[in-house]
Amino acid sequence: MKEVCSNFVSYKNNAMNYKEIARETIGYLYQSHASIRRSGLDNTLIALAELRTSQLNGCSYCCSFHANELREMGVSQNLIDKIPGYQHSVSFDEKQQLVLRWTDAVCSLSPNLEKIKNDLGKLFSEKEIVELTASIALMNALNRLRITLGEKF
């Protein structure tokens, strides 16, 4: 068994180089991510949702990556630090607060999905809601790939 498995181990911690092993499939996931980033929805809001998704899933690599990305976009470290407790903070604007609520609801398949989706409809177009939801769903998949198959961070 070890001999067969060793073909798939590409670097430390028994991680698989899943991006290379399934280059076409994983490539389509990253193409989807790039499409979402070109969708017209504020990329800061997308990155906020991606960081929150990664926090909920416990993907340390993705948390670090998206926190750095938000800092590069001009989001303060102080605001990034408050994301886990956003429900008890007045530091987030209405759109940010709603994106974080939607992220939590989508990740947990909350019974409040319809109410939050209606709230989203007051500030976002249908296309923006679809793109945001696709971003959250995609980040869930990427987190799970990284956590289960990728190198530990």
Side-chain angles (χ1 to χ4, degrees), residues 4-28:
V4 172
C5 291
S6 68
N7 292 330
F8 296 105
V9 177
S10 56
Y11 42 92
K12 63 186 176 186
N13 298 324
N14 290 328
M16 297 171 72
N17 189 352
Y18 61 91
K19 294 176 191 176
E20 187 63 32
I21 293 167
R23 184 183 299 183
E24 183 177 7
T25 300
I26 302 303
Y28 284 126

mmCIF file with all atom_site columns, all heavy atoms in Angstrom, residues 4-28:
data_model
loop_
_atom_site.group_PDB
_atom_site.id
_atom_site.type_symbol
_atom_site.label_atom_id
_atom_site.label_alt_id
_atom_site.label_comp_id
_atom_site.label_asym_id
_atom_site.label_entity_id
_atom_site.label_seq_id
_atom_site.pdbx_PDB_ins_code
_atom_site.Cartn_x
_atom_site.Cartn_y
_atom_site.Cartn_z
_atom_site.occupancy
_atom_site.B_iso_or_equiv
_atom_site.pdbx_formal_charge
_atom_site.auth_seq_id
_atom_site.auth_comp_id
_atom_site.auth_asym_id
_atom_site.auth_atom_id
_atom_site.pdbx_PDB_model_num
ATOM 1   N N   . VAL A 1 4  ? 2.074   2.236  -3.473  1.00 0.00 ? 4  VAL A N   1
ATOM 2   C CA  . VAL A 1 4  ? 1.051   2.866  -4.314  1.00 0.00 ? 4  VAL A CA  1
ATOM 3   C C   . VAL A 1 4  ? 0.813   4.298  -3.854  1.00 0.00 ? 4  VAL A C   1
ATOM 4   O O   . VAL A 1 4  ? 0.776   5.213  -4.655  1.00 0.00 ? 4  VAL A O   1
ATOM 5   C CB  . VAL A 1 4  ? -0.267  2.054  -4.278  1.00 0.00 ? 4  VAL A CB  1
ATOM 6   C CG1 . VAL A 1 4  ? -1.378  2.801  -4.970  1.00 0.00 ? 4  VAL A CG1 1
ATOM 7   C CG2 . VAL A 1 4  ? -0.053  0.685  -4.903  1.00 0.00 ? 4  VAL A CG2 1
ATOM 8   N N   . CYS A 1 5  ? 0.670   4.483  -2.555  1.00 0.00 ? 5  CYS A N   1
ATOM 9   C CA  . CYS A 1 5  ? 0.400   5.821  -2.026  1.00 0.00 ? 5  CYS A CA  1
ATOM 10  C C   . CYS A 1 5  ? 1.557   6.776  -2.264  1.00 0.00 ? 5  CYS A C   1
ATOM 11  O O   . CYS A 1 5  ? 1.343   7.969  -2.451  1.00 0.00 ? 5  CYS A O   1
ATOM 12  C CB  . CYS A 1 5  ? 0.084   5.758  -0.534  1.00 0.00 ? 5  CYS A CB  1
ATOM 13  S SG  . CYS A 1 5  ? -1.488  4.974  -0.172  1.00 0.00 ? 5  CYS A SG  1
ATOM 14  N N   . SER A 1 6  ? 2.783   6.256  -2.272  1.00 0.00 ? 6  SER A N   1
ATOM 15  C CA  . SER A 1 6  ? 3.932   7.150  -2.427  1.00 0.00 ? 6  SER A CA  1
ATOM 16  C C   . SER A 1 6  ? 3.920   7.862  -3.773  1.00 0.00 ? 6  SER A C   1
ATOM 17  O O   . SER A 1 6  ? 4.523   8.914  -3.917  1.00 0.00 ? 6  SER A O   1
ATOM 18  C CB  . SER A 1 6  ? 5.234   6.379  -2.236  1.00 0.00 ? 6  SER A CB  1
ATOM 19  O OG  . SER A 1 6  ? 5.413   5.463  -3.297  1.00 0.00 ? 6  SER A OG  1
ATOM 20  N N   . ASN A 1 7  ? 3.218   7.329  -4.744  1.00 0.00 ? 7  ASN A N   1
ATOM 21  C CA  . ASN A 1 7  ? 3.106   8.002  -6.036  1.00 0.00 ? 7  ASN A CA  1
ATOM 22  C C   . ASN A 1 7  ? 2.332   9.316  -5.925  1.00 0.00 ? 7  ASN A C   1
ATOM 23  O O   . ASN A 1 7  ? 2.471   10.195 -6.754  1.00 0.00 ? 7  ASN A O   1
ATOM 24  C CB  . ASN A 1 7  ? 2.412   7.101  -7.064  1.00 0.00 ? 7  ASN A CB  1
ATOM 25  C CG  . ASN A 1 7  ? 3.257   5.912  -7.424  1.00 0.00 ? 7  ASN A CG  1
ATOM 26  O OD1 . ASN A 1 7  ? 4.479   5.974  -7.385  1.00 0.00 ? 7  ASN A OD1 1
ATOM 27  N ND2 . ASN A 1 7  ? 2.607   4.815  -7.759  1.00 0.00 ? 7  ASN A ND2 1
ATOM 28  N N   . PHE A 1 8  ? 1.499   9.426  -4.912  1.00 0.00 ? 8  PHE A N   1
ATOM 29  C CA  . PHE A 1 8  ? 0.654   10.604 -4.776  1.00 0.00 ? 8  PHE A CA  1
ATOM 30  C C   . PHE A 1 8  ? 1.221   11.627 -3.792  1.00 0.00 ? 8  PHE A C   1
ATOM 31  O O   . PHE A 1 8  ? 0.790   12.753 -3.752  1.00 0.00 ? 8  PHE A O   1
ATOM 32  C CB  . PHE A 1 8  ? -0.751  10.202 -4.312  1.00 0.00 ? 8  PHE A CB  1
ATOM 33  C CG  . PHE A 1 8  ? -1.456  9.348  -5.326  1.00 0.00 ? 8  PHE A CG  1
ATOM 34  C CD1 . PHE A 1 8  ? -1.595  7.988  -5.124  1.00 0.00 ? 8  PHE A CD1 1
ATOM 35  C CD2 . PHE A 1 8  ? -1.950  9.902  -6.485  1.00 0.00 ? 8  PHE A CD2 1
ATOM 36  C CE1 . PHE A 1 8  ? -2.227  7.200  -6.062  1.00 0.00 ? 8  PHE A CE1 1
ATOM 37  C CE2 . PHE A 1 8  ? -2.587  9.128  -7.434  1.00 0.00 ? 8  PHE A CE2 1
ATOM 38  C CZ  . PHE A 1 8  ? -2.729  7.767  -7.218  1.00 0.00 ? 8  PHE A CZ  1
ATOM 39  N N   . VAL A 1 9  ? 2.158   11.228 -2.978  1.00 0.00 ? 9  VAL A N   1
ATOM 40  C CA  . VAL A 1 9  ? 2.737   12.134 -1.995  1.00 0.00 ? 9  VAL A CA  1
ATOM 41  C C   . VAL A 1 9  ? 3.769   13.001 -2.703  1.00 0.00 ? 9  VAL A C   1
ATOM 42  O O   . VAL A 1 9  ? 4.719   12.499 -3.270  1.00 0.00 ? 9  VAL A O   1
ATOM 43  C CB  . VAL A 1 9  ? 3.372   11.361 -0.823  1.00 0.00 ? 9  VAL A CB  1
ATOM 44  C CG1 . VAL A 1 9  ? 4.032   12.318 0.149   1.00 0.00 ? 9  VAL A CG1 1
ATOM 45  C CG2 . VAL A 1 9  ? 2.316   10.525 -0.117  1.00 0.00 ? 9  VAL A CG2 1
ATOM 46  N N   . SER A 1 10 ? 3.537   14.319 -2.677  1.00 0.00 ? 10 SER A N   1
ATOM 47  C CA  . SER A 1 10 ? 4.402   15.185 -3.450  1.00 0.00 ? 10 SER A CA  1
ATOM 48  C C   . SER A 1 10 ? 5.280   16.086 -2.594  1.00 0.00 ? 10 SER A C   1
ATOM 49  O O   . SER A 1 10 ? 6.274   16.595 -3.074  1.00 0.00 ? 10 SER A O   1
ATOM 50  C CB  . SER A 1 10 ? 3.559   16.035 -4.395  1.00 0.00 ? 10 SER A CB  1
ATOM 51  O OG  . SER A 1 10 ? 2.604   16.752 -3.659  1.00 0.00 ? 10 SER A OG  1
ATOM 52  N N   . TYR A 1 11 ? 4.921   16.321 -1.366  1.00 0.00 ? 11 TYR A N   1
ATOM 53  C CA  . TYR A 1 11 ? 5.753   17.119 -0.483  1.00 0.00 ? 11 TYR A CA  1
ATOM 54  C C   . TYR A 1 11 ? 5.398   16.822 0.953   1.00 0.00 ? 11 TYR A C   1
ATOM 55  O O   . TYR A 1 11 ? 4.614   15.911 1.222   1.00 0.00 ? 11 TYR A O   1
ATOM 56  C CB  . TYR A 1 11 ? 5.679   18.621 -0.803  1.00 0.00 ? 11 TYR A CB  1
ATOM 57  C CG  . TYR A 1 11 ? 4.320   19.173 -1.115  1.00 0.00 ? 11 TYR A CG  1
ATOM 58  C CD1 . TYR A 1 11 ? 3.528   19.707 -0.122  1.00 0.00 ? 11 TYR A CD1 1
ATOM 59  C CD2 . TYR A 1 11 ? 3.829   19.176 -2.415  1.00 0.00 ? 11 TYR A CD2 1
ATOM 60  C CE1 . TYR A 1 11 ? 2.287   20.231 -0.403  1.00 0.00 ? 11 TYR A CE1 1
ATOM 61  C CE2 . TYR A 1 11 ? 2.588   19.699 -2.701  1.00 0.00 ? 11 TYR A CE2 1
ATOM 62  C CZ  . TYR A 1 11 ? 1.819   20.228 -1.697  1.00 0.00 ? 11 TYR A CZ  1
ATOM 63  O OH  . TYR A 1 11 ? 0.588   20.750 -1.974  1.00 0.00 ? 11 TYR A OH  1
ATOM 64  N N   . LYS A 1 12 ? 5.972   17.558 1.883   1.00 0.00 ? 12 LYS A N   1
ATOM 65  C CA  . LYS A 1 12 ? 5.907   17.215 3.305   1.00 0.00 ? 12 LYS A CA  1
ATOM 66  C C   . LYS A 1 12 ? 4.488   17.039 3.835   1.00 0.00 ? 12 LYS A C   1
ATOM 67  O O   . LYS A 1 12 ? 3.521   17.480 3.222   1.00 0.00 ? 12 LYS A O   1
ATOM 68  C CB  . LYS A 1 12 ? 6.663   18.248 4.131   1.00 0.00 ? 12 LYS A CB  1
ATOM 69  C CG  . LYS A 1 12 ? 6.107   19.654 4.063   1.00 0.00 ? 12 LYS A CG  1
ATOM 70  C CD  . LYS A 1 12 ? 7.020   20.602 4.810   1.00 0.00 ? 12 LYS A CD  1
ATOM 71  C CE  . LYS A 1 12 ? 6.508   22.023 4.643   1.00 0.00 ? 12 LYS A CE  1
ATOM 72  N NZ  . LYS A 1 12 ? 7.396   22.988 5.210   1.00 0.00 ? 12 LYS A NZ  1
ATOM 73  N N   . ASN A 1 13 ? 4.387   16.404 4.979   1.00 0.00 ? 13 ASN A N   1
ATOM 74  C CA  . ASN A 1 13 ? 3.133   16.151 5.689   1.00 0.00 ? 13 ASN A CA  1
ATOM 75  C C   . ASN A 1 13 ? 2.177   15.247 4.921   1.00 0.00 ? 13 ASN A C   1
ATOM 76  O O   . ASN A 1 13 ? 0.971   15.333 5.100   1.00 0.00 ? 13 ASN A O   1
ATOM 77  C CB  . ASN A 1 13 ? 2.421   17.464 6.045   1.00 0.00 ? 13 ASN A CB  1
ATOM 78  C CG  . ASN A 1 13 ? 3.230   18.338 6.960   1.00 0.00 ? 13 ASN A CG  1
ATOM 79  O OD1 . ASN A 1 13 ? 3.933   17.833 7.827   1.00 0.00 ? 13 ASN A OD1 1
ATOM 80  N ND2 . ASN A 1 13 ? 3.158   19.636 6.765   1.00 0.00 ? 13 ASN A ND2 1
ATOM 81  N N   . ASN A 1 14 ? 2.686   14.396 4.063   1.00 0.00 ? 14 ASN A N   1
ATOM 82  C CA  . ASN A 1 14 ? 1.848   13.488 3.278   1.00 0.00 ? 14 ASN A CA  1
ATOM 83  C C   . ASN A 1 14 ? 0.811   14.218 2.437   1.00 0.00 ? 14 ASN A C   1
ATOM 84  O O   . ASN A 1 14 ? -0.241  13.686 2.128   1.00 0.00 ? 14 ASN A O   1
ATOM 85  C CB  . ASN A 1 14 ? 1.158   12.455 4.176   1.00 0.00 ? 14 ASN A CB  1
ATOM 86  C CG  . ASN A 1 14 ? 2.148   11.463 4.732   1.00 0.00 ? 14 ASN A CG  1
ATOM 87  O OD1 . ASN A 1 14 ? 3.142   11.145 4.085   1.00 0.00 ? 14 ASN A OD1 1
ATOM 88  N ND2 . ASN A 1 14 ? 1.894   10.975 5.931   1.00 0.00 ? 14 ASN A ND2 1
ATOM 89  N N   . ALA A 1 15 ? 1.101   15.436 2.081   1.00 0.00 ? 15 ALA A N   1
ATOM 90  C CA  . ALA A 1 15 ? 0.191   16.219 1.253   1.00 0.00 ? 15 ALA A CA  1
ATOM 91  C C   . ALA A 1 15 ? 0.252   15.728 -0.184  1.00 0.00 ? 15 ALA A C   1
ATOM 92  O O   . ALA A 1 15 ? 1.259   15.186 -0.637  1.00 0.00 ? 15 ALA A O   1
ATOM 93  C CB  . ALA A 1 15 ? 0.558   17.693 1.317   1.00 0.00 ? 15 ALA A CB  1
ATOM 94  N N   . MET A 1 16 ? -0.846  15.923 -0.869  1.00 0.00 ? 16 MET A N   1
ATOM 95  C CA  . MET A 1 16 ? -0.915  15.595 -2.291  1.00 0.00 ? 16 MET A CA  1
ATOM 96  C C   . MET A 1 16 ? -0.841  16.887 -3.085  1.00 0.00 ? 16 MET A C   1
ATOM 97  O O   . MET A 1 16 ? -1.434  17.892 -2.698  1.00 0.00 ? 16 MET A O   1
ATOM 98  C CB  . MET A 1 16 ? -2.229  14.888 -2.608  1.00 0.00 ? 16 MET A CB  1
ATOM 99  C CG  . MET A 1 16 ? -2.399  13.567 -1.912  1.00 0.00 ? 16 MET A CG  1
ATOM 100 S SD  . MET A 1 16 ? -4.060  12.879 -2.114  1.00 0.00 ? 16 MET A SD  1
ATOM 101 C CE  . MET A 1 16 ? -3.993  12.397 -3.814  1.00 0.00 ? 16 MET A CE  1
ATOM 102 N N   . ASN A 1 17 ? -0.157  16.857 -4.188  1.00 0.00 ? 17 ASN A N   1
ATOM 103 C CA  . ASN A 1 17 ? -0.116  18.011 -5.073  1.00 0.00 ? 17 ASN A CA  1
ATOM 104 C C   . ASN A 1 17 ? -1.369  17.958 -5.960  1.00 0.00 ? 17 ASN A C   1
ATOM 105 O O   . ASN A 1 17 ? -1.303  17.706 -7.149  1.00 0.00 ? 17 ASN A O   1
ATOM 106 C CB  . ASN A 1 17 ? 1.164   18.003 -5.900  1.00 0.00 ? 17 ASN A CB  1
ATOM 107 C CG  . ASN A 1 17 ? 1.354   19.279 -6.675  1.00 0.00 ? 17 ASN A CG  1
ATOM 108 O OD1 . ASN A 1 17 ? 0.467   20.133 -6.717  1.00 0.00 ? 17 ASN A OD1 1
ATOM 109 N ND2 . ASN A 1 17 ? 2.504   19.412 -7.309  1.00 0.00 ? 17 ASN A ND2 1
ATOM 110 N N   . TYR A 1 18 ? -2.511  18.163 -5.302  1.00 0.00 ? 18 TYR A N   1
ATOM 111 C CA  . TYR A 1 18 ? -3.811  17.981 -5.967  1.00 0.00 ? 18 TYR A CA  1
ATOM 112 C C   . TYR A 1 18 ? -3.988  18.902 -7.166  1.00 0.00 ? 18 TYR A C   1
ATOM 113 O O   . TYR A 1 18 ? -4.670  18.546 -8.125  1.00 0.00 ? 18 TYR A O   1
ATOM 114 C CB  . TYR A 1 18 ? -4.961  18.127 -4.968  1.00 0.00 ? 18 TYR A CB  1
ATOM 115 C CG  . TYR A 1 18 ? -5.053  19.469 -4.285  1.00 0.00 ? 18 TYR A CG  1
ATOM 116 C CD1 . TYR A 1 18 ? -5.823  20.498 -4.821  1.00 0.00 ? 18 TYR A CD1 1
ATOM 117 C CD2 . TYR A 1 18 ? -4.387  19.714 -3.094  1.00 0.00 ? 18 TYR A CD2 1
ATOM 118 C CE1 . TYR A 1 18 ? -5.908  21.728 -4.192  1.00 0.00 ? 18 TYR A CE1 1
ATOM 119 C CE2 . TYR A 1 18 ? -4.462  20.934 -2.454  1.00 0.00 ? 18 TYR A CE2 1
ATOM 120 C CZ  . TYR A 1 18 ? -5.233  21.940 -3.009  1.00 0.00 ? 18 TYR A CZ  1
ATOM 121 O OH  . TYR A 1 18 ? -5.323  23.160 -2.386  1.00 0.00 ? 18 TYR A OH  1
ATOM 122 N N   . LYS A 1 19 ? -3.368  20.069 -7.141  1.00 0.00 ? 19 LYS A N   1
ATOM 123 C CA  . LYS A 1 19 ? -3.479  20.994 -8.274  1.00 0.00 ? 19 LYS A CA  1
ATOM 124 C C   . LYS A 1 19 ? -2.830  20.413 -9.522  1.00 0.00 ? 19 LYS A C   1
ATOM 125 O O   . LYS A 1 19 ? -3.292  20.674 -10.634 1.00 0.00 ? 19 LYS A O   1
ATOM 126 C CB  . LYS A 1 19 ? -2.846  22.345 -7.931  1.00 0.00 ? 19 LYS A CB  1
ATOM 127 C CG  . LYS A 1 19 ? -3.571  23.108 -6.849  1.00 0.00 ? 19 LYS A CG  1
ATOM 128 C CD  . LYS A 1 19 ? -2.812  24.383 -6.501  1.00 0.00 ? 19 LYS A CD  1
ATOM 129 C CE  . LYS A 1 19 ? -3.367  25.011 -5.256  1.00 0.00 ? 19 LYS A CE  1
ATOM 130 N NZ  . LYS A 1 19 ? -2.571  26.179 -4.863  1.00 0.00 ? 19 LYS A NZ  1
ATOM 131 N N   . GLU A 1 20 ? -1.777  19.639 -9.321  1.00 0.00 ? 20 GLU A N   1
ATOM 132 C CA  . GLU A 1 20 ? -1.087  19.006 -10.442 1.00 0.00 ? 20 GLU A CA  1
ATOM 133 C C   . GLU A 1 20 ? -1.746  17.678 -10.817 1.00 0.00 ? 20 GLU A C   1
ATOM 134 O O   . GLU A 1 20 ? -1.899  17.368 -12.001 1.00 0.00 ? 20 GLU A O   1
ATOM 135 C CB  . GLU A 1 20 ? 0.390   18.793 -10.088 1.00 0.00 ? 20 GLU A CB  1
ATOM 136 C CG  . GLU A 1 20 ? 1.222   18.290 -11.227 1.00 0.00 ? 20 GLU A CG  1
ATOM 137 C CD  . GLU A 1 20 ? 1.291   19.250 -12.400 1.00 0.00 ? 20 GLU A CD  1
ATOM 138 O OE1 . GLU A 1 20 ? 1.246   20.479 -12.197 1.00 0.00 ? 20 GLU A OE1 1
ATOM 139 O OE2 . GLU A 1 20 ? 1.375   18.754 -13.536 1.00 0.00 ? 20 GLU A OE2 1
ATOM 140 N N   . ILE A 1 21 ? -2.138  16.910 -9.826  1.00 0.00 ? 21 ILE A N   1
ATOM 141 C CA  . ILE A 1 21 ? -2.724  15.589 -10.067 1.00 0.00 ? 21 ILE A CA  1
ATOM 142 C C   . ILE A 1 21 ? -4.016  15.699 -10.876 1.00 0.00 ? 21 ILE A C   1
ATOM 143 O O   . ILE A 1 21 ? -4.254  14.902 -11.784 1.00 0.00 ? 21 ILE A O   1
ATOM 144 C CB  . ILE A 1 21 ? -2.966  14.858 -8.730  1.00 0.00 ? 21 ILE A CB  1
ATOM 145 C CG1 . ILE A 1 21 ? -1.622  14.536 -8.063  1.00 0.00 ? 21 ILE A CG1 1
ATOM 146 C CG2 . ILE A 1 21 ? -3.795  13.592 -8.932  1.00 0.00 ? 21 ILE A CG2 1
ATOM 147 C CD1 . ILE A 1 21 ? -1.737  14.110 -6.616  1.00 0.00 ? 21 ILE A CD1 1
ATOM 148 N N   . ALA A 1 22 ? -4.841  16.667 -10.538 1.00 0.00 ? 22 ALA A N   1
ATOM 149 C CA  . ALA A 1 22 ? -6.115  16.876 -11.248 1.00 0.00 ? 22 ALA A CA  1
ATOM 150 C C   . ALA A 1 22 ? -6.117  18.279 -11.842 1.00 0.00 ? 22 ALA A C   1
ATOM 151 O O   . ALA A 1 22 ? -7.007  19.088 -11.584 1.00 0.00 ? 22 ALA A O   1
ATOM 152 C CB  . ALA A 1 22 ? -7.295  16.666 -10.306 1.00 0.00 ? 22 ALA A CB  1
ATOM 153 N N   . ARG A 1 23 ? -5.086  18.543 -12.637 1.00 0.00 ? 23 ARG A N   1
ATOM 154 C CA  . ARG A 1 23 ? -4.848  19.885 -13.176 1.00 0.00 ? 23 ARG A CA  1
ATOM 155 C C   . ARG A 1 23 ? -6.084  20.475 -13.864 1.00 0.00 ? 23 ARG A C   1
ATOM 156 O O   . ARG A 1 23 ? -6.439  21.631 -13.632 1.00 0.00 ? 23 ARG A O   1
ATOM 157 C CB  . ARG A 1 23 ? -3.676  19.856 -14.144 1.00 0.00 ? 23 ARG A CB  1
ATOM 158 C CG  . ARG A 1 23 ? -3.319  21.246 -14.666 1.00 0.00 ? 23 ARG A CG  1
ATOM 159 C CD  . ARG A 1 23 ? -2.219  21.201 -15.665 1.00 0.00 ? 23 ARG A CD  1
ATOM 160 N NE  . ARG A 1 23 ? -1.019  20.636 -15.036 1.00 0.00 ? 23 ARG A NE  1
ATOM 161 C CZ  . ARG A 1 23 ? 0.132   20.513 -15.642 1.00 0.00 ? 23 ARG A CZ  1
ATOM 162 N NH1 . ARG A 1 23 ? 0.275   20.883 -16.886 1.00 0.00 ? 23 ARG A NH1 1
ATOM 163 N NH2 . ARG A 1 23 ? 1.169   20.003 -15.013 1.00 0.00 ? 23 ARG A NH2 1
ATOM 164 N N   . GLU A 1 24 ? -6.744  19.727 -14.712 1.00 0.00 ? 24 GLU A N   1
ATOM 165 C CA  . GLU A 1 24 ? -7.894  20.263 -15.443 1.00 0.00 ? 24 GLU A CA  1
ATOM 166 C C   . GLU A 1 24 ? -9.045  20.598 -14.494 1.00 0.00 ? 24 GLU A C   1
ATOM 167 O O   . GLU A 1 24 ? -9.585  21.694 -14.532 1.00 0.00 ? 24 GLU A O   1
ATOM 168 C CB  . GLU A 1 24 ? -8.356  19.266 -16.515 1.00 0.00 ? 24 GLU A CB  1
ATOM 169 C CG  . GLU A 1 24 ? -9.516  19.816 -17.345 1.00 0.00 ? 24 GLU A CG  1
ATOM 170 C CD  . GLU A 1 24 ? -9.938  18.867 -18.452 1.00 0.00 ? 24 GLU A CD  1
ATOM 171 O OE1 . GLU A 1 24 ? -9.455  17.726 -18.525 1.00 0.00 ? 24 GLU A OE1 1
ATOM 172 O OE2 . GLU A 1 24 ? -10.785 19.291 -19.245 1.00 0.00 ? 24 GLU A OE2 1
ATOM 173 N N   . THR A 1 25 ? -9.397  19.670 -13.632 1.00 0.00 ? 25 THR A N   1
ATOM 174 C CA  . THR A 1 25 ? -10.519 19.884 -12.711 1.00 0.00 ? 25 THR A CA  1
ATOM 175 C C   . THR A 1 25 ? -10.248 21.046 -11.766 1.00 0.00 ? 25 THR A C   1
ATOM 176 O O   . THR A 1 25 ? -11.082 21.953 -11.627 1.00 0.00 ? 25 THR A O   1
ATOM 177 C CB  . THR A 1 25 ? -10.793 18.601 -11.905 1.00 0.00 ? 25 THR A CB  1
ATOM 178 O OG1 . THR A 1 25 ? -11.105 17.552 -12.826 1.00 0.00 ? 25 THR A OG1 1
ATOM 179 C CG2 . THR A 1 25 ? -11.939 18.793 -10.926 1.00 0.00 ? 25 THR A CG2 1
ATOM 180 N N   . ILE A 1 26 ? -9.104  21.029 -11.121 1.00 0.00 ? 26 ILE A N   1
ATOM 181 C CA  . ILE A 1 26 ? -8.763  22.104 -10.178 1.00 0.00 ? 26 ILE A CA  1
ATOM 182 C C   . ILE A 1 26 ? -8.600  23.419 -10.931 1.00 0.00 ? 26 ILE A C   1
ATOM 183 O O   . ILE A 1 26 ? -8.984  24.486 -10.439 1.00 0.00 ? 26 ILE A O   1
ATOM 184 C CB  . ILE A 1 26 ? -7.499  21.743 -9.369  1.00 0.00 ? 26 ILE A CB  1
ATOM 185 C CG1 . ILE A 1 26 ? -7.684  20.427 -8.608  1.00 0.00 ? 26 ILE A CG1 1
ATOM 186 C CG2 . ILE A 1 26 ? -7.129  22.880 -8.418  1.00 0.00 ? 26 ILE A CG2 1
ATOM 187 C CD1 . ILE A 1 26 ? -8.866  20.389 -7.653  1.00 0.00 ? 26 ILE A CD1 1
ATOM 188 N N   . GLY A 1 27 ? -8.084  23.345 -12.139 1.00 0.00 ? 27 GLY A N   1
ATOM 189 C CA  . GLY A 1 27 ? -7.961  24.549 -12.969 1.00 0.00 ? 27 GLY A CA  1
ATOM 190 C C   . GLY A 1 27 ? -9.301  25.217 -13.204 1.00 0.00 ? 27 GLY A C   1
ATOM 191 O O   . GLY A 1 27 ? -9.405  26.451 -13.190 1.00 0.00 ? 27 GLY A O   1
ATOM 192 N N   . TYR A 1 28 ? -10.335 24.410 -13.427 1.00 0.00 ? 28 TYR A N   1
ATOM 193 C CA  . TYR A 1 28 ? -11.672 24.985 -13.613 1.00 0.00 ? 28 TYR A CA  1
ATOM 194 C C   . TYR A 1 28 ? -12.163 25.693 -12.349 1.00 0.00 ? 28 TYR A C   1
ATOM 195 O O   . TYR A 1 28 ? -12.849 26.724 -12.424 1.00 0.00 ? 28 TYR A O   1
ATOM 196 C CB  . TYR A 1 28 ? -12.680 23.919 -14.044 1.00 0.00 ? 28 TYR A CB  1
ATOM 197 C CG  . TYR A 1 28 ? -12.544 23.515 -15.489 1.00 0.00 ? 28 TYR A CG  1
ATOM 198 C CD1 . TYR A 1 28 ? -12.383 22.182 -15.837 1.00 0.00 ? 28 TYR A CD1 1
ATOM 199 C CD2 . TYR A 1 28 ? -12.579 24.459 -16.511 1.00 0.00 ? 28 TYR A CD2 1
ATOM 200 C CE1 . TYR A 1 28 ? -12.244 21.795 -17.164 1.00 0.00 ? 28 TYR A CE1 1
ATOM 201 C CE2 . TYR A 1 28 ? -12.448 24.090 -17.840 1.00 0.00 ? 28 TYR A CE2 1
ATOM 202 C CZ  . TYR A 1 28 ? -12.278 22.757 -18.158 1.00 0.00 ? 28 TYR A CZ  1
ATOM 203 O OH  . TYR A 1 28 ? -12.153 22.391 -19.469 1.00 0.00 ? 28 TYR A OH  1
#
